Amino acid sequence: MRRPDDPVIDAAVDAAPSRRTARRPRSVSVVVTAHDQESTVGLVVEDALRGLEDLGVPGEVVVVVGRADRTAQVALTSGASVVESRPGRGAAVLAGVAASRGDVVCLLDGDVRYFGDPPLVPLLVEPILGGLADACVSDLYWRPPHPRLWLHGFFAPLIGRLYPELLPKAGSTPWSGQRAALRALWPAELPDGATADLALLLHWNREAALLRPVLADDWTAPRKPGLAPARAELDLVVADALAHGRIDETGAKALPDWFDAVQASAQERWGDVVDPLDFAVAERDVLEGALRELRAHGL
């Protein structure tokens, strides 16, 4: 059966033979936030430099430190430049971006060890250099299985309701600090605290034509992601959604009650889950409960 005429599809089909992805000649800055991480920052810098070499592009590594400790000395010895910032995740990111010069900025945490080949920097930057993305977020598979209340009891249901187009762009670890974007996509302001990475996602959702997750594996970090979301993260999403017409005042006022109900229920559901085979069931239960609560609160 002949499909109905669709001028948008017809135009795309007609243009297909002439479509080409072109490599962008760009320089790359790797910004490493590393407050009090002298034991790992040297290895992260070395991996970043190896990644830049693999890419074959001009580049630099900038390490952001918060106060005088051996982190700065180790970073300098490993081949990076160093810049200081006031405390806070957002402040560190902004300081690193401001001190860097590359056309593409790749952000790494100073305590994440990635053992895959290629390193994280090429994984995150190559799609941008190849014209396949404007911004990338690492989708770092968490192994062993880990309770992720932040994803299933907060991000997926809430963002799925307010910003449904963002879910496939952010991947399964949207909290990841390992990400990259064209310089023009880095905002001039970010929250100081841990909400900075979430604020970046919301900003890139609006400003980046192509925001994509990048699959990655074989990594470790001393600090595990938090099990539960913070109220500050809810406040950030609500304020952004109100400012951009994604929710009205009535819905915004209902969300704190939704948040409290879901978190109480989710914490109880996790209980003493220790069997890895039970994690998937628990995650599904938390997500379904959060969606039910959204409906119950008229959202």
Side-chain angles (χ1 to χ4, degrees):
M1 184 175 68
R2 184 180 182 276
R3 64 173 174 81
D5 289 335
D6 186 322
V8 175
I9 294 177
D10 289 341
V13 170
D14 292 342
S18 64
R19 291 191 64 184
R20 295 290 186 275
T21 54
R23 187 170 179 83
R24 297 159 164 168
R26 307 279 187 176
S27 57
V28 176
S29 292
V30 181
V31 172
V32 181
T33 57
H35 293 191
D36 290 323
Q37 291 168 352
E38 63 183 74
S39 64
T40 55
V41 69
L43 295 171
V44 174
V45 170
E46 291 172 7
D47 287 347
L49 289 171
R50 180 164 64 92
L52 290 173
E53 184 178 354
D54 288 352
L55 284 170
V57 297
E60 63 178 346
V61 179
V62 178
V63 174
V64 186
V65 298
R67 54 184 179 273
D69 60 27
R70 289 201 68 249
T71 300
Q73 179 182 343
V74 173
L76 287 169
T77 302
S78 301
S81 60
V82 172
V83 61
E84 292 188 3
S85 80
R86 55 188 173 83
R89 169 71 170 174
V93 171
L94 291 175
V97 173
S100 66
R101 303 180 299 275
D103 302 314
V104 178
V105 179
C106 179
L107 182 65
L108 301 179
D109 291 332
D111 62 351
V112 167
R113 294 304 325 285
Y114 188 74
F115 304 102
D117 189 20
L120 266 178
V121 170
L123 276 179
L124 289 167
V125 172
E126 183 61 44
I128 299 174
L129 297 181
L132 300 176
D134 300 317
C136 292
V137 179
S138 61
D139 195 327
L140 289 166
Y141 179 73
W142 185 263
R143 188 175 58 237
H146 186 66
R148 295 180 294 178
L149 298 187
W150 195 91
L151 178 62
H152 298 284
F154 173 71
F155 186 85
L158 183 59
I159 297 301
R161 168 63 180 83
L162 301 179
Y163 305 88
E165 76 284 0
L166 177 54
L167 284 184
K169 301 178 185 179
S172 68
T173 56
W175 61 73
S176 173
Q178 327 315 309
R179 51 187 68 193
L182 296 169
R183 174 167 293 278
L185 293 176
W186 291 87
E189 296 181 357
L190 282 173
D192 279 345
T195 59
D197 290 313
L198 180 55
L200 268 176
L201 277 184
L202 294 174
H203 177 77
W204 287 350
N205 186 49
R206 289 189 298 273
E207 302 297 331
L210 292 171
L211 167 60
R212 292 181 169 178
V214 174
L215 294 178
D217 205 339
D218 295 328
W219 67 286
T220 62
R223 293 177 293 113
K224 296 179 180 179
L227 294 182
R231 178 57 70 92
E233 292 174 308
L234 175 70
D235 294 341
L236 173 73
V237 173
V238 170
D240 188 271
L242 277 171
H244 295 93
R246 297 294 184 120
I247 197 171
D248 59 21
E249 291 286 351
T250 300
K253 290 177 180 177
L255 280 174
D257 289 339
W258 167 82
F259 181 89
D260 292 339
V262 170
Q263 296 314 306
S265 174
Q267 294 285 358
E268 182 179 354
R269 174 62 184 87
W270 286 119
D272 298 321
V273 174
V274 294
D275 186 340
L277 296 178
D278 292 337
F279 282 124
V281 176
E283 290 173 346
R284 182 197 65 197
D285 290 347
V286 168
L287 177 58
E288 291 178 348
L291 294 172
R292 284 195 300 271
E293 286 291 340
L294 278 175
R295 292 190 292 270
H297 285 80
L299 297 164

